[in-house]
Amino acid sequence: MKREKKSFHLHMLSDATGETLISVGRAVASQYTMSQATEHIYPMIRNKTQLQRALDEIQQEPGIVLYTIIDKKIKILLRKRCEKIEIPCIDILHPVLNAFKSYLGIPTNLRVSAQHGLNADYFRRIEALDFTIEHDDGQSPNSLSDADVILVGISRTSKTPTSIYLANRGIKTANVPLIPGINLPDTLLGAKNALIIGLIASVERISHIRQNRNLGDDFSLESYTDRINISEELTYAKRICERFSWPVIDVTRRSIEETAAEIFELLSRFREGK
């Protein structure tokens, strides 16, 4: 009998916004209350280059892989990599599509985002997702001023999954890591039209999540997960947010949805005050 896992990585890949996939993944993960899922969300996977980024992370942090991808070549590459590292890889729509096909006697017409009407709201969300992916983890700092929301925080404070969730609601979201000793980009401080929010979590939660990361042989996991170091990082992050009067959200006991709900409220006030 396999040893029970108290935490695991949940990788979710989609060739569209990923809403369907995320809902299913979270619904299933919520049934396993004794095991904490660390989410990795990869929307808009439509070519090999985009897939490779996800494969690299899956290789580093193996876990359960769920996907909704139409392109056969991309699906084959994904399944082969998962088979190689011996982790489950599940196409969540395949059994449902087969059931419909069998019952209706009609061939499946596979189309990306077929459930979404091509209206202004859909294109707004796609634009937000493209922006958010491009501005993940401090990337593309020169266009931070185009963001609606910028999330800042130390490593493993749910910046990326929260950003993806907001993007799925049409909010252009960037996230920037706060690292002691590394200067903040000037474009972050100059992003006057964006709501900048700090995300923090308890030392215990961050240490626990970091312990489940595989960062390579050259990385000091002991230093990365040390609670004293994490406490110092959090103190630095809080001081930065206080200095610039950025609101702070503690995500320790919040789901992504709960964190996003508070961000929406802050964003509404921010826009009203402009």
Side-chain angles (χ1 to χ4, degrees), residues 22-69:
I22 294 167
S23 296
V24 172
R26 288 177 179 168
V28 176
S30 69
Q31 302 301 313
Y32 297 88
T33 56
M34 300 300 291
S35 188
Q36 176 69 41
T38 298
E39 294 182 359
H40 306 263
I41 303 170
Y42 316 92
M44 309 300 290
I45 302 292
R46 297 185 177 181
N47 58 50
K48 291 180 181 179
T49 301
Q50 293 164 341
L51 176 64
Q52 189 58 51
R53 181 180 71 89
L55 292 178
D56 290 343
E57 288 198 26
I58 292 169
Q59 182 79 40
Q60 287 182 348
E61 300 176 322
I64 296 173
V65 175
L66 306 179
Y67 68 91
T68 51
I69 294 174

Side-chain angles (χ1 to χ4, degrees), residues 184-204:
L184 299 175
D186 292 336
T187 48
L188 172 63
L189 303 179
K192 303 302 183 184
N193 292 322
L195 171 63
I196 304 175
I197 299 173
L199 299 185
I200 62 171
S202 70
V203 171
E204 292 74 18

Side-chain angles (χ1 to χ4, degrees), residues 52-118:
Q52 189 58 51
R53 181 180 71 89
L55 292 178
D56 290 343
E57 288 198 26
I58 292 169
Q59 182 79 40
Q60 287 182 348
E61 300 176 322
I64 296 173
V65 175
L66 306 179
Y67 68 91
T68 51
I69 294 174
I70 299 300
D71 189 288
K72 290 183 178 179
K73 292 181 180 178
I74 292 178
K75 286 200 289 188
I76 290 171
L77 288 172
L78 175 60
R79 287 200 294 257
K80 282 185 176 179
R81 177 64 68 88
C82 290
E83 287 173 4
K84 185 176 180 180
I85 58 179
E86 299 181 334
I87 58 173
C89 182
I90 304 154
D91 181 346
I92 67 165
L93 290 181
H94 182 71
V96 181
L97 288 170
N98 277 350
F100 271 62
K101 179 181 177 181
S102 176
Y103 184 78
L104 298 173
I106 301 172
T108 305
N109 180 21
L110 297 177
R111 293 180 293 124
V112 174
S113 301
Q115 76 272 32
H116 298 291
L118 299 182

Side-chain angles (χ1 to χ4, degrees), residues 194-213:
L195 171 63
I196 304 175
I197 299 173
L199 299 185
I200 62 171
S202 70
V203 171
E204 292 74 18
R205 174 186 164 109
I206 294 172
S207 178
H208 176 73
I209 295 173
R210 288 183 177 185
Q211 285 170 8
N212 289 285
R213 294 205 72 190

